[in-house]
Amino acid sequence: VTLASMNAAGLGRAATLRVSPAARLRAASHPARLSSGRVAPGGSRSRVAPVTRAAVDATVAYAVAQQNLVFAALVAAECVYQQGNLPADYKGRPELPKIALPCGLFAGAFALIQTDQTVLSPGGLALGAVACFFSGKYFLERYDAIVPDGMDWPGPRVFPGTGIIFSLFVFLANVEALPRILNDF
């Protein structure tokens, strides 16, 4: 109950506040602390067990780890899809051996981030950023190898072009998560 609500009800300062027994019990079990951190007179000093914090903020870690894993699956699925649509001699056709490195690094980054350890989780974010570099390089090589004919839109460059943009987005997610996680230590 606030002073404003008491005045609105016409109670004023002279009214006594009624407190439930449960609220009285909560107030008695938590002694008032002064701004200096000392216990107020009449309060008891009790030891509080230290609270163990997670090494990495769970929401940030899970979000970035999931993005890494989903992007690895997207890169692999796009490669398989394009191999079925493009002839074997087509320039810029994706090849499974070339995507093995970035997809493996993304999976490794996912596993490291999920460990929730002070060294391995940020290392997983760094590994995810490196994987983004390799996937971006792979998509850029494919983009440059495809010769646009100007007749079809969006053309065969749309998949590698989108892959370059997605590589940048996942790279930024990994890099931007590092300071948030490292500030918690």
Side-chain angles (χ1 to χ4, degrees), residues 22-34 38-46 48:
R24 235 182 270 124
L25 181 62
R26 280 193 305 267
S29 65
H30 299 294
R33 295 210 177 260
L34 301 174
R38 297 181 309 179
V39 177
S44 66
R45 290 185 179 264
S46 63
V48 178

Side-chain angles (χ1 to χ4, degrees), residues 69-80:
L69 196 59
V70 168
F71 187 60
L74 178 76
V75 169
E78 189 269 338
C79 178
V80 170

Side-chain angles (χ1 to χ4, degrees), residues 96-111:
L96 285 172
K98 288 188 176 181
I99 67 160
L101 178 63
C103 288
L105 290 175
F106 279 124
F110 174 81

Side-chain angles (χ1 to χ4, degrees), residues 16-102:
T16 56
L17 295 175
R18 295 184 184 194
V19 179
S20 69
R24 235 182 270 124
L25 181 62
R26 280 193 305 267
S29 65
H30 299 294
R33 295 210 177 260
L34 301 174
S35 61
S36 64
R38 297 181 309 179
V39 177
S44 66
R45 290 185 179 264
S46 63
R47 291 206 166 250
V48 178
V51 177
T52 304
R53 290 183 2 202
V56 176
D57 182 18
T59 57
V60 173
Y62 292 144
V64 175
Q66 288 172 358
Q67 288 176 10
N68 285 338
L69 196 59
V70 168
F71 187 60
L74 178 76
V75 169
E78 189 269 338
C79 178
V80 170
Y81 174 75
Q82 288 296 334
Q83 281 190 336
N85 288 341
L86 299 174
D89 61 341
Y90 189 81
K91 286 189 175 187
R93 182 176 189 253
E95 300 172 15
L96 285 172
K98 288 188 176 181
I99 67 160
L101 178 63

